[in-house]
Each structure stands twice: as structure tokens, then as C-alpha cells.
Amino acid sequence: MPKAKRNLPTPSLLVDLDCFERNIERMQSAVAKAGKQLRPHAKAHKCVEIARQQIRAGAVGVCVATISEMEWMTSAGIGVLLTTPVASSVKTERIAGIAKRGAAEIQVVADHTEQVRMYQESAAAAGIVLDMLVDLDVGDHRTGIPCDERAIALARQIDGSPNLRLAGIQAYSVSGSHTEGSAARREHSMRAIAQAIEVQKEMRRAGMGVSKLTGASTGTWDIDITIPEVTEIQAGSYPLMDAAYRRIIGNSFELAMTVLATVISTSHPDRVTVDAGYKSFATDRPFGPEAVDLQGVQWQWGGDEHGILLLDHPSRELRLGDQVEFIAPHCDPTVNLYDRIFAMRGNEVEEIWPLKGAASFS
């Protein structure tokens, strides 16, 4: 295993452990002080070791977006909430099978009566009881049942299903997490969660136990921990961070994740080429990667394997073989492009963490 950063193969995904550990401690401390529970979203990192560190710090489990992430985490004994509804009995049977193995706590969500029916049949066939939350649409119209009588009826259906246990409600605002401007973001998040609170009150008046209200994000965590009814925070990106969230929430958390690249061509005076292109960075944001501690350069698409750095009086000369670190525009889908993280203490590799889908590495 290479020990020094200068000997790492590039492109490589790095995490600065000092920044990473401070990020975990800051979030956990703030959430605990507010009397909430933290269930970080593991889709951001897809890494069992990161989840373990979050749980050691005090998290109650993790959120996952896919069944494969569920299998990855529960096989390590980590409890999960699958935040995405599913729509086939093949999937509900698979989930029931994972739950039956009993390696870790499993919770699921539903936003449609057919989902409840499929989960009930699969749980009954497996001889288990599944914890289920009502997934609410609080304004994004992505998933979730509208916050009206339909949500109440769905909760009643879950509550009346012998192999399902009504565990609470989920209210996640995608748009709230990316609303720019602190005042506008606060207003957006408060308005979104207010809808869920009214539904929760109606469920309680109907005699249903719905103590859990889970949601929130890295973009709204400091807002949502102040809302009394919110019990669980699902923030995911905060341990790693990216350029997108830095633009939204500033320096609340440190930029712990970078992509390490190498200058592989210096044939032109106004640009150099690095070995990190579209296969190294998710490019779903309207801006590209940002070089770390290097001013006067701008990353530009150069193909699948190549990135062009346009030079405008760069703060240091870039020579063939030089390494350059970049902040990713969006951490979640960037992590998805790699099979391992090099966990760095300064310029030395302390550990290598496999990511979901990586069977082994040397």
C-alpha cells in the first residue's frame, strides 16, 4: 500500500482525516445538544467505515437510498432507514429477507397503498414485522404522499397491517437543502416541515403513534434542529463536503474530500492537462471542480479521462508530473465513481476505505 500522497495512483479520492473528524464531531455535538438523533445519509459516502465512525460518535444508524446500500450497511451490523419507496414485490421480498436475517435494524417508507400491501405480504411471508414510515411530499413532488387526508389514510393502512409497525413520518425537502440565502432557506425549510407537523397532529388525534419525524439535510441541519417536532436529522454530505454546499452554507463544515490528479501534459503555455475528466468528477452542477491552494486556474472538460486547466497567471508553476487536488462540485455522485477512499493524515495514507461495490483491493 502506498504511504505517501506523492506515490498514490491518480486520479484518487482522498479524505483529510483531521477535517473529516472535526466535521463528524461538530454535527453530532450540535444535534445531540438540540435533543435530536442523527441518522446520516450514507448515500453521500457509500462507506461502511465512515458510517461506523458516525455511529461511534453517537449516530443512531444511517439512511440509505438503495437496497444494495441497505445490504452493504446491514451486513456490517449498521441499522438503516431506506428513504426511497419501492414499487415491486421483488424488492419488498428482498428487503424482508434482509430484515429476517436480523443483522441490523431496518426501517422502510411508503407513499402509496400498493407499497403497503406489497410490504405487508412480503413481511408476512418472511414471518417478520417491519417498521414503516409515511413518506410525505412537502413540496418537491419527487416522492411522498401529499400532506392531506391521503397521508392519514395511508398511516391507518400501515397501522392496521399485522406485519407492519407505524414508526413515524419522513419529511425531506430537496429544494430546501439547496435554497441559497440563509433567510430564504430558513423560511423554505420551516414552511416545508410545518406541513408535516400538521399531518403528524392529525395522525395523533386519530390515535396513531407517530413520534418520529425524520428529515433535514446538510443544507438545513442548523434550521431543522431548532424545530421541536423534528426528532431525527438525515444530513449526509457534511463529513466530506463539496463546492455546492460550500456555496450554500459557507464554512460550516470543512472541505474534507478531494480528488487527487496529476499533470500529464504541458505542451501549451495557456493550459495543462490533468488525468481527471468526466470519469473523475460528477458534473451535475453548473460549475466544475476547484483546485485546492492554487489560484489562477480553471478546470475545463477535456474528455472522459482528461481535464484541462486553463492558466491565468497561476499562483504556482505547473510542471509535468505535479499533483493537483480538486474540490468536487458534488460529493455524492463523485464518490460513486470510485471504489476506495485514501484516508490521509497530512500527506500520509493512514487507511484505505472500500466503497460500496468494491469487493477487494490491494
Side-chain angles (χ1 to χ4, degrees):
M1 179 183 79
K3 291 291 187 181
K5 183 189 294 185
R6 66 178 176 274
N7 295 328
L8 289 177
T10 58
S12 286
L13 192 65
L14 312 184
V15 165
D16 181 314
L17 284 170
D18 293 327
C19 297
F20 166 83
E21 289 164 0
R22 286 192 292 267
N23 287 346
I24 287 181
E25 172 57 29
R26 181 177 185 199
M27 177 65 82
Q28 184 62 54
S29 176
V31 171
K33 186 176 180 181
K36 315 294 186 186
Q37 292 185 322
L38 179 62
R39 186 181 291 273
H41 215 309
K43 74 180 180 69
H45 55 70
K46 292 179 176 283
C47 181
V48 165
E49 182 52 39
I50 291 178
R52 285 178 176 146
Q53 295 203 32
Q54 290 173 314
I55 289 168
R56 282 197 290 269
V60 296
V62 299
C63 295
V64 294
T66 66
I67 300 175
S68 61
E69 291 171 359
M70 172 186 282
E71 289 174 326
W72 184 248
M73 293 294 161
T74 56
S75 66
I78 297 168
V80 303
L81 164 61
L82 177 63
T83 59
T84 307
V86 300
S88 82
S89 59
V90 172
K91 289 188 175 182
T92 58
E93 289 168 7
R94 185 173 161 194
I95 291 165
I98 298 169
K100 187 171 184 177
R101 290 198 286 272
E105 166 209 34
I106 288 177
Q107 300 174 39
V108 296
V109 304
D111 69 359
H112 194 280
T113 58
E114 278 298 293
Q115 294 162 359
V116 177
R117 180 190 62 77
M118 286 186 287
Y119 268 120
Q120 164 57 32
E121 291 179 355
S122 297
I128 61 166
V129 175
L130 270 177
D131 285 341
M132 177 173 283
L133 289 79
V134 176
D135 183 27
L136 296 173
D137 178 4
V138 291
D140 292 316
H141 310 323
R142 183 173 73 173
T143 70
I145 195 165
C147 294
D148 55 28
E149 67 279 356
R150 288 167 285 185
I152 310 302
L154 191 68
R156 285 198 181 98
Q157 182 186 0
I158 297 168
D159 203 36
S161 299
N163 293 85
L164 302 177
R165 182 167 39 235
L166 182 61
I169 56 178
Q170 174 175 264
Y172 175 68
S173 174
V174 184
S175 54
S177 66
H178 295 286
T179 297
E180 296 192 15
S182 57
R185 191 163 59 257
R186 175 172 295 277
E187 180 183 354
H188 191 298
S189 191
M190 298 288 282
R191 186 172 61 249
I193 298 299
Q195 301 174 69
I197 292 170
E198 287 305 309
V199 170
Q200 185 182 47
K201 289 177 180 176
E202 286 296 320
M203 290 177 181
R204 286 176 171 166
R205 280 194 282 267
M208 292 178 281
V210 282
S211 58
K212 177 183 288 190
L213 198 174
T214 183
S217 68
T218 298
T220 63
W221 72 277
D222 57 338
I223 301 163
D224 298 332
I225 62 173
T226 69
I227 302 174
E229 292 84 357
V230 172
T231 61
E232 191 174 84
I233 303 298
Q234 293 185 2
S237 298
Y238 71 92
L240 305 178
M241 287 297 289
D242 54 34
Y245 265 131
R246 184 184 59 185
R247 293 178 180 217
I248 293 168
I249 64 172
N251 297 317
S252 297
F253 297 97
E254 298 176 58
L255 294 163
M257 188 189 88
T258 57
V259 172
L260 182 68
T262 300
V263 176
I264 60 170
S265 180
T266 58
S267 298
H268 302 281
D270 65 340
R271 67 192 61 204
V272 300
T273 302
V274 296
D275 58 355
Y278 272 177
K279 289 183 178 179
S280 301
F281 301 100
T283 52
D284 60 319
R285 294 293 185 256
F287 44 86
E290 299 176 16
V292 176
D293 297 329
L294 177 60
Q295 290 74 48
V297 301
Q298 182 179 350
W299 185 93
Q300 176 180 285
W301 171 74
D304 290 348
E305 318 293 349
H306 306 94
I308 308 299
L309 284 187
L310 302 178
L311 308 179
D312 182 13
H313 300 93
S315 55
R316 63 181 170 89
E317 184 182 358
L318 291 173
R319 299 185 177 92
L320 194 71
D322 283 355
Q323 292 180 332
V324 181
E325 286 183 63
F326 294 91
I327 301 300
H330 189 183
C331 62
D332 305 32
T334 295
V335 168
N336 197 53
L337 299 172
Y338 292 85
D339 63 2
R340 72 195 77 177
I341 292 174
F342 291 95
M344 311 295 297
R345 192 76 68 181
N347 288 320
E348 300 294 312
V349 179
E350 188 165 295
E351 297 181 48
I352 302 177
W353 298 336
L355 300 173
K356 191 198 77 65
S360 63
F361 54 84
S362 57

